[in-house]
Amino acid sequence: MVNNGNLIEVRNLTKYFPAGVGLFGAGDSVVRAVDDVSFSIRSGETFGLVGESGCGKSTIGRCILRLIEPTSGKVSFLGQDLLSLHSDALRRLRRDMQIIFQDPYSSLNPRMTVGQIVGEPLAIHNGGADRSARRDRVTELLKLVGLDPEHAGRYPHEFSGGQRQRIGIARALALKPKFIVCDEPVSALDVSVQAQVVNLLQDLQEQLGLTYLFISHGLSVVQHISTRVGIMYLGKLVEIAPSDEIFHNPLHPYTKALLSAIPIPDPEHRRQRVPLKGEIPTALNPPSGCNFRTRCPIAEPRCADESPELVEVTPDHFVSCMVVAPHQKK
């Protein structure tokens, strides 16, 4: 059963990478790529995860799918703890969880035909299915993503970037998953093609009842596709709210700064920029207390001593800031 309508539950997720120091990599420093992150994804929704490059959002997606192993925390899918599963049980569950990668050029094997690429998950997980059944399913999938089934014998280099990403989407849909991690699926595409792919993802979600984790640094794309949005900064979530609430009533100063940088085509309605001072800190040595305090325009002395929690300030709107949400739990 899904708890409270949530398909995915992430609790206190942490991923540290060792950072070697010296000639032979000696040392015990770590990169805090994901640092105590908690959120949930409701069945049938698109949860947008936004932040600057290197903030840890793609690492979260890969930890959820266990493409990389988390350092600590808990990830539940349909109430089942993914991090406790052994390889055989995890392999069976991978049918329900898939990923669409960022780069449509490097994510497809250049030595395989489109038909082989899309049919590979069927061959791995449905070993007993005959070739005719797999071929029929590949034809169905290519039609579903707007490609000509007659091109199944072609190779990836014969397709444009947008077409290659459609091939990647078809591959992700092959096993009829419930949940898909979309890891910046349109960032490598032209703007006009981005809109086509985003619209395709929305149509497929409605048609197939899919749930997405949509990872991106493009706020306009996230606003268009997401039900709820989480804002990340330096390995931590600083704000979570419904999409309209995030874009029309941001509370965290970092969210406000991000939104103020979005260009508006109408010169008469320019946003007031929210400048950020200081240098971007590193996840190898993050600031004490609040990670954002060294660049924050409203930081107070106590922000250097206490790490803010993500608290609910209005219904379904969470923010991690002791100034905006002063009633922090002790």
Side-chain angles (χ1 to χ4, degrees):
M1 294 295 291
V2 182
N3 297 326
N4 301 320
N6 294 331
L7 188 74
I8 298 287
E9 292 270 3
V10 177
R11 292 292 173 261
N12 307 111
L13 185 66
T14 299
K15 178 60 182 177
Y16 294 167
F17 292 98
V21 179
L23 181 61
F24 299 103
D28 56 1
S29 298
V30 294
V31 175
R32 299 169 179 265
V34 179
D35 195 6
D36 195 23
V37 167
S38 298
F39 64 96
S40 60
I41 305 175
R42 298 163 186 164
S43 182
E45 81 167 347
T46 298
F47 185 89
L49 200 55
V50 182
E52 295 170 283
S53 295
C55 71
K57 54 190 186 296
S58 291
T59 302
I60 286 178
R62 283 165 167 74
C63 284
I64 290 174
L65 299 179
R66 279 187 64 183
L67 298 179
I68 57 177
E69 293 294 332
T71 303
S72 63
K74 182 177 181 180
V75 179
S76 298
F77 175 74
L78 289 169
Q80 189 170 12
D81 183 7
L82 295 179
L83 305 189
S84 66
L85 295 180
H86 297 296
S87 56
D88 289 343
L90 181 62
R91 184 174 181 272
R92 289 192 295 271
L93 202 60
R94 287 200 188 281
R95 299 173 59 91
D96 293 325
M97 303 182 299
Q98 294 293 316
I99 184 169
I100 301 168
F101 294 99
Q102 175 180 1
D103 188 356
Y105 295 90
S106 63
S107 63
L108 303 179
N109 190 332
R111 293 180 175 84
M112 296 174 66
T113 66
V114 168
Q116 291 171 333
I117 290 170
V118 176
E120 186 177 25
L122 300 169
I124 293 173
H125 289 271
N126 296 337
D130 58 43
R131 291 185 179 182
S132 176
R134 289 206 300 267
R135 189 164 52 247
D136 291 343
R137 177 61 176 158
V138 169
T139 296
E140 178 187 351
L141 289 164
L142 292 177
K143 288 180 179 178
L144 191 62
V145 299
L147 294 174
D148 190 340
E150 294 183 1
H151 295 165
R154 295 186 178 183
Y155 289 86
H157 73 269
E158 300 179 71
F159 294 86
S160 67
Q163 289 172 323
R164 293 187 200 196
Q165 197 59 292
R166 289 173 186 264
I167 295 167
I169 293 170
R171 177 177 59 186
L173 294 174
L175 298 173
K176 301 181 179 179
K178 296 180 177 68
F179 172 66
I180 297 179
V181 173
C182 304
D183 187 9
E184 303 206 39
V186 298
S187 64
L189 307 177
D190 293 339
V191 174
S192 60
V193 180
Q194 285 184 12
Q196 296 173 15
V197 173
V198 168
N199 289 336
L200 172 64
L201 289 171
Q202 288 182 306
D203 292 342
L204 291 171
Q205 182 177 41
E206 184 175 344
Q207 184 176 345
L208 304 176
L210 299 169
T211 302
Y212 293 145
L213 171 61
F214 193 91
I215 298 166
S216 178
H217 59 263
L219 287 165
S220 299
V221 175
V222 169
Q223 182 180 17
H224 181 69
I225 195 173
S226 297
T227 312
R228 288 186 303 137
V229 178
I231 306 295
M232 282 198 72
Y233 180 81
L234 205 62
K236 290 182 177 288
L237 275 169
V238 298
E239 189 164 3
I240 300 175
S243 181
D244 287 345
E245 183 76 3
I246 280 282
F247 285 91
H248 294 103
N249 184 33
L251 296 180
H252 197 279
Y254 178 62
T255 308
K256 292 180 179 180
L258 283 181
L259 295 177
S260 74
I262 300 176
I264 296 179
D266 186 353
E268 295 183 0
H269 295 85
R270 292 182 179 178
R271 287 189 177 94
Q272 183 177 355
R273 289 298 301 271
V274 179
L276 296 180
K277 60 184 180 181
E279 296 293 327
I280 301 175
T282 171
L284 183 62
N285 185 27
S288 63
C290 175
N291 276 1
F292 186 60
R293 67 174 178 82
T294 57
R295 303 174 70 197
C296 182
I298 61 171
E300 298 178 354
R302 60 175 174 150
C303 297
D305 303 320
E306 303 175 46
S307 180
E309 297 180 6
L310 197 65
V311 297
E312 189 172 18
V313 292
T314 59
D316 210 21
H317 194 155
F318 299 80
V319 66
S320 173
C321 178
M322 289 180 292
V323 179
V324 173
H327 303 295
Q328 295 281 331
K329 297 177 182 178
K330 300 296 182 183

